Amino acid sequence: SASPSSLKIFLTSHHILNPTVLLALILLGLLTAVVSFFMDLAIQELQYLRLFFIQTSSEILNMGIWIIFCIVLCELAVFITSYLSKDAEGSGIPEMKAILSGVKLRNFMSYKTFFAKIIGVVFAIGGGLSIGREGPFVHISGIIATHISKIPIFSHIHSNLTLKNQFLAAAVAAGIASVFECPIGGVLYSIEVTSTYYIVSNMWRAAFCSIWCAIGIIWLREIGQMKVINSTDFPDVGLDLEIFSFIILGCLCGLLGALFINITSRLISLKEQNIYPMLYGRYRYTLLICIICAVVTFLTNYMRLNDMAVINDMFHSTFSEHGWDDYNLPFALLVFGICKFLLTSLSLSCHIPAGVLYPLLAAGAVFGRLFQQLASLVFTSDRHGVYAAVGAASLVSATTHTISVAVIVFEFTGQIHYFLPMIVSVLIAYTVSSSLTLSIYDAFLEIKG
Amino acid sequence: SASPSSLKIFLTSHHILNPTVLLALILLGLLTAVVSFFMDLAIQELQYLRLFFIQTSSEILNMGIWIIFCIVLCELAVFITSYLSKDAEGSGIPEMKAILSGVKLRNFMSYKTFFAKIIGVVFAIGGGLSIGREGPFVHISGIIATHISKIPIFSHIHSNLTLKNQFLAAAVAAGIASVFECPIGGVLYSIEVTSTYYIVSNMWRAAFCSIWCAIGIIWLREIGQMKVINSTDFPDVGLDLEIFSFIILGCLCGLLGALFINITSRLISLKEQNIYPMLYGRYRYTLLICIICAVVTFLTNYMRLNDMAVINDMFHSTFSEHGWDDYNLPFALLVFGICKFLLTSLSLSCHIPAGVLYPLLAAGAVFGRLFQQLASLVFTSDRHGVYAAVGAASLVSATTHTISVAVIVFEFTGQIHYFLPMIVSVLIAYTVSSSLTLSIYDAFLEIKG
């Protein structure tokens, strides 16, 4: 009775092995890696440059330079984005979801949007706004995929709508994978954020593309000596009473995630309603946000760190550098958490390309570490980093309504044996948040209409 | 434009939070864990008993006892299976796939099948056949799910076909998770082997059920002091030339997997054609296979080990116990690999409930370790265990045509930072094998028609 279906699967799996499709996937993976690497490099150089400029003897002068530097870069980001292509604004993940479910968006995949998105996100992050680059990068890899499929030898991909969509879905996976070096998490995350129904045989394609992308980015980062992610060495985590502590962490992250979606949506809605016209010009609004971000990041050492450095710090059991211990630790964590939370929300409401994953991972990691300070009153284990990892994944899970972010964090840390507290907390955060609100991507789609 | 779809997602996600559905999922997860634990315990006791009986001074007497013990248990397995329910024969995964795609199979979910499957698989493994219990256990958890959904307070699950199927899919995930303590891998593997199209919002349900199941089984095993899986401590694996070694390993595993499917299918087809009626009676055939298995396992110490012990041995960098080093190591590995491969193929053709994952993981781990002995002539790294883990996942990937088995092995080992060689090798094995043959589940479905 099942022969026709197995025959179909058989043919489908042979279809996968079409050499031009394989070649297209390899090309997509590697190109995505190259673009991602040079974006990273540009952001890093801008961040170095910013620190280089503030070496004068006067703190006030330094602060002035810092703020002006940020303003210039952010306004440039807004200008270039709006000049080249307004489609480049925002995350890109909600739009990719719309495209993959069949909505046609004009200009969304143009070269202009490509450059607008890259330059916009590089300048905005370089200018100190608290945004991530994984959402925009999903859009960028989608554009790369579209243009690869237009190359004559790959024309059968472009002409076959199913295959074209699967190729785009692979691009989404590669986009995530290239940012976090997480091919498996990338595939799963891309499924969760872009699909309602998923064709399982397509998972192969997405994984194939992601792994080429991961190989490319790991190799490039090794050459460029850009060490992004440190493996962790968490102690063994079994099943014990401390699981209750992670349950509470999951609940809190779920509430925080819902709060974050709420605040951000309101900020954007307020802007759309245009109540205070003086405030809400494209450039004026960014100016305001940019100054807030610049002042806050200048005043505290640890707010100047990029998100990845914060995540690495939090995931380790001792704070080796970056001066976290110079202050009262819980106080520093609290300040950072609140600032990061609010600055990210503000930054997302600007007219720039912006992702949410990176800053929220950082905020979640800090929050998890802060929670650990409380939990250590009851449980005296040495699981400092585990709390940070679980907190990071839970906050993102609550905000984006995904479970697979847990896998991204597993790939981050190189360990998976703490899956029990991780999955428990992530599922609870997901449940709490999804019973309160839409995911941030769907909320954005709803505001945009 | 996207509002209706986001509204739909919103409603769906609220539907998830229906408390009776949650309760049903928790119940399913915990019951699955309890049944799984007691099956484990029964198998373990039978294996102890078998060793207990062969403590006489005469080796020949010992061998006789060993063979008779095996024959009695295996024939009992065949008898009970055929007496209670012939539906209990085989893996169960192909049939679950058929049911989830809408095929109706009578009696497949009955209490009789439940007991036939449990007793059959326990006696067959206890009787020394080289089979796994994860396939049958997926069927068992499916039966548990069906009967839970018939409880009056959960009747809305039973009456809603979509919800019922999603509940069954969660049972498949929990079934895998309970065997390998791998909630994430369980969810992904269940998607790959049972679905062609997957409703992404359902992933939540499956993960929720799996985590309860994992908590249950970990807790029970801790109480029962049944330590199943040892975490590994592989060294850091980056991107270097050794990746080519893993590429070759992937190719070889792909070929081996295709060969395995081919041999097993032919054995079953031969049996169905009934050319030698003298050989192919239900009991006579099992008798033959059982004697072969018993003789082989008696003659070599390491063939007596259960699959999990072999996997643990292979994954570690030094062989601490079980006498692998008593012999010439490469020779021991080669003998084990070939025997395991053939015995598993033979065992699967018997009229008993049987899974493929466990023995193939063991065979793949041994094969990976054997390959490492060769590779060490070129690459002198200390990645002994990594080869075993990659080999295990690749061989299973080639046989079952799944990628997510990589995640199962990651959860096994507690580490994920060797994802690069892992995914490369698994994808290659998958590609090679799927270009040559159907997956073993689809091959079984085709033979059964």
Side-chain angles (χ1 to χ4, degrees):
Chain A
S1 65
S3 288
S5 101
S6 31
L7 189 71
K8 199 182 133 209
I9 292 163
F10 188 61
L11 290 175
T12 321
S13 66
H14 272 75
H15 188 57
I16 299 172
L17 299 175
N18 183 325
T20 54
V21 174
L22 288 189
L23 187 65
L25 288 169
I26 294 174
L27 195 63
L28 172 59
L30 292 180
L31 266 181
T32 303
V34 170
V35 176
S36 176
F37 174 73
F38 283 106
M39 264 178 78
D40 264 354
L41 205 65
I43 291 171
Q44 189 182 297
E45 290 308 315
L46 283 177
Q47 282 169 340
Y48 284 153
L49 197 66
R50 198 170 56 167
L51 290 174
F52 173 80
F53 276 137
I54 56 162
Q55 290 175 335
T56 65
S57 54
S58 150
E59 269 302 291
I60 292 178
L61 186 59
N62 280 346
M63 187 161 167
I65 295 173
W66 180 273
I67 293 174
I68 290 168
F69 185 90
C70 289
I71 290 174
V72 170
L73 280 183
C74 289
E75 294 294 352
L76 265 175
V78 176
F79 171 71
I80 291 165
T81 311
S82 72
Y83 178 76
L84 281 175
S85 162
K86 292 213 171 77
D87 284 316
E89 284 173 14
S91 155
I93 288 181
E95 290 83 359
M96 287 300 283
K97 182 174 184 172
I99 290 175
L100 284 170
S101 22
V103 180
K104 285 210 187 292
L105 296 175
R106 255 168 54 84
N107 293 326
F108 193 69
M109 292 302 191
S110 69
Y111 279 115
K112 275 189 172 178
T113 313
F114 179 76
F115 288 109
K117 200 109 194 178
I118 290 183
I119 300 172
V121 83
V122 166
F123 280 11
I125 297 179
L129 290 187
S130 175
I131 55 171
R133 62 186 198 68
E134 72 310 310
F137 202 72
V138 162
H139 185 177
I140 291 168
S141 64
I143 299 177
I144 297 176
T146 309
H147 287 280
I148 286 179
S149 71
K150 283 182 184 162
I151 297 174
I153 55 160
F154 303 131
S155 58
H156 65 291
I157 298 176
H158 193 67
S159 57
N160 177 339
L161 186 67
T162 312
L163 200 56
K164 194 175 153 194
N165 269 350
Q166 296 187 348
F167 195 60
L168 260 188
V172 176
I176 300 282
S178 77
V179 176
F180 296 114
E181 297 184 5
C182 62
I184 306 166
V187 171
L188 299 177
Y189 191 80
S190 73
I191 294 176
E192 279 197 283
V193 292
T194 61
S195 315
T196 312
Y197 293 84
Y198 191 74
I199 303 167
V200 176
S201 64
N202 191 28
M203 200 187 265
W204 189 96
R205 265 184 214 100
F208 182 78
C209 184
S210 292
I211 194 72
W212 278 98
C213 184
I215 289 177
I217 196 78
I218 289 173
W219 185 67
L220 283 169
R221 282 180 180 168
E222 217 155 84
I223 291 178
Q225 295 188 321
M226 192 191 280
K227 178 76 185 155
V228 177
I229 295 157
N230 299 329
S231 281
T232 55
D233 51 350
F234 295 156
D236 260 346
V237 179
L239 184 66
D240 50 32
L241 285 176
E242 201 165 350
I243 196 77
F244 291 106
S245 170
F246 289 104
I247 290 176
I248 298 170
L249 179 59
C251 292
L252 291 176
C253 284
L255 292 174
L256 270 180
L259 185 67
F260 181 82
I261 297 170
N262 210 297
I263 292 178
T264 313
S265 305
R266 274 187 199 205
L267 275 174
I268 297 178
S269 300
L270 262 176
K271 202 180 61 176
E272 303 267 314
Q273 288 165 19
N274 206 10
I275 303 174
Y276 308 103
M278 229 190 67
L279 211 60
Y280 288 132
R282 181 178 291 271
Y283 296 98
R284 263 170 293 174
Y285 187 72
T286 309
L287 181 68
L288 181 71
I289 308 293
C290 178
I291 292 175
I292 297 175
C293 286
V295 170
V296 173
T297 50
F298 185 82
L299 289 180
T300 49
N301 259 324
Y302 43 82
M303 286 296 295
R304 292 186 201 171
L305 298 172
N306 63 46
D307 295 327
M308 198 63 238
V310 173
I311 293 171
N312 277 332
D313 283 351
M314 290 302 132
F315 282 14
H316 281 251
S317 35
T318 49
F319 296 107
S320 51
E321 38 187 349
H322 298 139
W324 289 95
D325 280 334
D326 298 354
Y327 311 83
N328 179 329
L329 185 61
F331 180 71
L333 294 173
L334 189 66
V335 169
F336 182 95
I338 293 174
C339 289
K340 194 80 202 168
F341 194 84
L342 293 177
L343 292 187
T344 306
S345 196
L346 286 172
S347 302
L348 284 177
S349 63
C350 290
H351 288 275
I352 46 158
V356 296
L357 238 65
Y358 247 126
L360 284 184
L361 278 175
V366 169
F367 182 71
R369 200 64 189 254
L370 180 64
F371 182 79
Q372 184 271 327
Q373 301 273 329
L374 268 176
S376 66
L377 301 175
V378 186
F379 302 102
T380 52
S381 65
D382 53 348
R383 297 176 184 164
H384 305 79
V386 178
Y387 278 93
V390 171
S394 302
L395 186 59
V396 173
S397 165
T399 318
T400 59
H401 294 194
T402 54
I403 312 165
S404 56
V405 66
V407 179
I408 294 182
V409 173
F410 286 135
E411 286 185 277
F412 245 62
T413 56
Q415 295 186 294
I416 200 168
H417 66 236
Y418 58 105
F419 67 81
L420 209 59
M422 176 64 110
I423 300 285
V424 168
S425 176
V426 162
L427 275 178
I428 289 174
Y430 175 99
T431 316
V432 169
S433 172
S434 66
S435 68
L436 292 172
T437 170
L438 287 175
S439 89
I440 194 152
Y441 301 128
D442 290 324
F444 283 1
L445 268 183
E446 208 169 56
I447 293 168
K448 287 200 176 181
Chain B
S1 66
S3 289
S5 101
S6 31
L7 190 69
K8 200 182 133 209
I9 292 162
F10 188 60
L11 289 175
T12 320
S13 66
H14 271 76
H15 188 57
I16 300 171
L17 298 174
N18 183 325
T20 54
V21 175
L22 288 189
L23 188 65
L25 288 170
I26 294 173
L27 196 62
L28 172 59
L30 292 180
L31 266 180
T32 303
V34 169
V35 176
S36 176
F37 173 73
F38 282 106
M39 263 178 79
D40 264 353
L41 206 65
I43 292 172
Q44 188 181 299
E45 291 306 315
L46 283 178
Q47 282 168 341
Y48 285 153
L49 197 65
R50 199 170 56 168
L51 290 174
F52 174 79
F53 276 138
I54 55 162
Q55 290 175 336
T56 65
S57 52
S58 150
E59 270 302 290
I60 295 180
L61 186 61
N62 280 345
M63 186 161 168
I65 294 173
W66 180 273
I67 294 175
I68 290 169
F69 185 89
C70 289
I71 291 175
V72 170
L73 281 183
C74 289
E75 294 295 351
L76 266 176
V78 176
F79 171 72
I80 291 166
T81 312
S82 71
Y83 178 77
L84 282 175
S85 159
K86 293 212 170 76
D87 285 316
E89 284 174 15
S91 156
I93 289 181
E95 290 83 0
M96 287 300 283
K97 182 175 184 172
I99 290 175
L100 284 170
S101 24
V103 180
K104 284 211 188 292
L105 297 175
R106 254 168 56 83
N107 291 328
F108 194 71
M109 293 301 190
S110 69
Y111 279 114
K112 276 189 172 180
T113 313
F114 178 76
F115 288 110
K117 201 109 193 177
I118 290 183
I119 300 172
V121 83
V122 167
F123 280 11
I125 297 179
L129 292 187
S130 175
I131 55 170
R133 61 185 200 69
E134 73 310 313
F137 203 71
V138 162
H139 185 175
I140 292 168
S141 64
I143 300 177
I144 298 175
T146 309
H147 288 280
I148 287 180
S149 71
K150 283 183 183 162
I151 298 174
I153 55 161
F154 303 131
S155 58
H156 65 292
I157 298 177
H158 193 68
S159 57
N160 178 338
L161 186 66
T162 313
L163 200 56
K164 194 176 154 192
N165 269 349
Q166 296 187 349
F167 195 59
L168 261 188
V172 175
I176 299 283
S178 76
V179 176
F180 296 114
E181 297 184 5
C182 61
I184 306 166
V187 171
L188 299 177
Y189 190 81
S190 73
I191 293 175
E192 278 197 283
V193 293
T194 60
S195 316
T196 313
Y197 294 84
Y198 191 74
I199 302 165
V200 175
S201 64
N202 191 28
M203 200 188 267
W204 189 96
R205 263 182 216 102
F208 183 78
C209 185
S210 292
I211 195 72
W212 278 98
C213 186
I215 289 176
I217 196 78
I218 290 172
W219 186 68
L220 283 170
R221 283 179 180 167
E222 216 155 84
I223 292 177
Q225 295 187 320
M226 194 190 280
K227 177 77 184 156
V228 177
I229 294 156
N230 299 329
S231 281
T232 57
D233 51 349
F234 295 157
D236 260 346
V237 179
L239 184 66
D240 50 33
L241 286 176
E242 202 165 349
I243 195 79
F244 290 106
S245 171
F246 288 105
I247 289 175
I248 299 171
L249 180 59
C251 292
L252 291 176
C253 284
L255 292 174
L256 270 180
L259 185 68
F260 181 82
I261 297 169
N262 210 295
I263 292 178
T264 312
S265 304
R266 275 189 198 203
L267 275 173
I268 297 178
S269 300
L270 262 177
K271 203 180 60 175
E272 303 267 315
Q273 289 164 20
N274 206 10
I275 304 174
Y276 308 103
M278 228 189 68
L279 211 61
Y280 288 132
R282 180 178 290 271
Y283 295 99
R284 264 169 293 173
Y285 188 71
T286 309
L287 181 68
L288 180 72
I289 308 292
C290 178
I291 292 176
I292 297 174
C293 287
V295 171
V296 173
T297 49
F298 185 81
L299 289 180
T300 50
N301 259 324
Y302 43 83
M303 286 294 296
R304 290 185 201 169
L305 299 171
N306 63 46
D307 295 326
M308 198 62 238
V310 173
I311 293 170
N312 277 332
D313 283 351
M314 291 302 132
F315 283 13
H316 282 250
S317 35
T318 50
F319 295 108
S320 51
E321 38 186 350
H322 298 140
W324 290 94
D325 280 333
D326 298 355
Y327 313 82
N328 179 330
L329 185 61
F331 180 72
L333 294 173
L334 189 66
V335 169
F336 183 94
I338 294 175
C339 289
K340 194 79 202 170
F341 194 83
L342 294 177
L343 293 186
T344 307
S345 195
L346 286 171
S347 302
L348 285 177
S349 62
C350 291
H351 288 276
I352 45 159
V356 295
L357 238 67
Y358 247 124
L360 285 183
L361 278 174
V366 169
F367 182 71
R369 199 64 189 255
L370 180 64
F371 183 80
Q372 184 270 327
Q373 300 273 331
L374 269 175
S376 66
L377 301 175
V378 186
F379 302 103
T380 52
S381 65
D382 54 348
R383 295 175 187 166
H384 306 78
V386 177
Y387 277 93
V390 170
S394 301
L395 186 60
V396 173
S397 165
T399 318
T400 58
H401 293 195
T402 54
I403 313 164
S404 56
V405 66
V407 179
I408 294 182
V409 174
F410 286 135
E411 285 185 278
F412 246 61
T413 57
Q415 294 187 294
I416 200 168
H417 67 235
Y418 59 104
F419 68 80
L420 208 60
M422 177 63 111
I423 300 286
V424 167
S425 176
V426 162
L427 275 178
I428 289 174
Y430 176 98
T431 317
V432 169
S433 172
S434 66
S435 69
L436 292 172
T437 171
L438 286 176
S439 88
I440 194 151
Y441 301 128
D442 289 325
F444 282 2
L445 268 183
E446 209 169 55
I447 293 168
K448 288 201 176 181

